[in-house]
Amino acid sequence: MKKSEIEYWIEKLELIPHPEGGFYKETFQSGEKVNIYGERKLYTSIYFLLRSQDVSHFHRLKSDELWYFHAGSPLTIHMIHENGEYEEVKLGLNIENGEVPQFLVPKHAIFGSSVLENDTGSLVGCMVSPGFDFQDFELFTQADLISQYPQHKEIIKKLAYENLPE
């Protein structure tokens, strides 16, 4: 996905900046609710677009998040699991190259994402269940994560905020 395509998707899908980085738009909310962490929609879904010059900063959700690849360059999902293990998964359509078209980020994992190909972007969809609520969204600073996971300092420096945005 080149710059003109990125601008096209941002405009046509009416995407807005996301606090973790990238651009998003909420697309669906379940009409059903569940009472987990308080009352939540059964599921919610968004479009998410990440440009290669941006990152999706490390964050954590209380819910599972299922990612779907739509268009553009492969997107790498970086995770630090609850047990402290680091894992990365490439979301895309080149199965022969180890990419997958969908992937589940488990609840409580600390995760972010990046697009490695220069001057490109990736358009994905994300479905969260129980549904996304900003009360269940936690951003991290580099200092927060390095103190807990010093073995992952290099990726933390790339994907965590030095200071949280206001």
Side-chain angles (χ1 to χ4, degrees), residues 4-31:
S4 60
E5 292 174 282
I6 292 169
E7 292 167 359
Y8 171 84
W9 289 118
I10 290 172
E11 179 185 334
K12 294 299 180 185
L13 296 177
E14 301 174 351
L15 304 178
I16 59 173
H18 195 293
E20 79 192 46
F23 299 84
Y24 81 109
K25 180 179 183 180
E26 190 173 295
T27 55
F28 297 102
Q29 285 189 2
S30 170

Side-chain angles (χ1 to χ4, degrees), residues 20-115:
E20 79 192 46
F23 299 84
Y24 81 109
K25 180 179 183 180
E26 190 173 295
T27 55
F28 297 102
Q29 285 189 2
S30 170
E32 296 179 59
K33 294 184 179 181
V34 292
N35 197 351
I36 300 175
Y37 327 123
E39 191 173 87
R40 300 287 184 268
K41 301 281 186 176
L42 180 60
Y43 68 86
T44 56
S45 185
I46 64 169
Y47 287 126
F48 182 67
L49 185 141
L50 191 64
R51 303 175 301 184
S52 60
Q53 68 263 37
D54 302 321
V55 298
S56 164
H57 291 86
F58 271 135
H59 60 288
R60 178 169 46 206
L61 300 178
K62 291 182 179 178
S63 300
D64 290 335
E65 183 168 36
L66 188 56
W67 290 58
Y68 302 93
F69 182 81
H70 292 309
S73 298
L75 179 135
T76 303
I77 302 169
H78 305 268
M79 293 164 286
I80 301 173
H81 292 283
E82 286 187 279
N83 66 3
E85 271 186 44
Y86 172 78
E87 179 184 12
E88 67 179 48
V89 173
K90 291 194 187 314
L91 201 63
L93 299 178
N94 188 342
I95 306 302
E96 302 300 319
N97 197 34
E99 297 171 12
V100 295
Q102 68 181 36
F103 182 78
L104 179 77
V105 174
K107 63 184 176 184
H108 305 298
I110 295 167
F111 67 104
S113 58
S114 62
V115 178

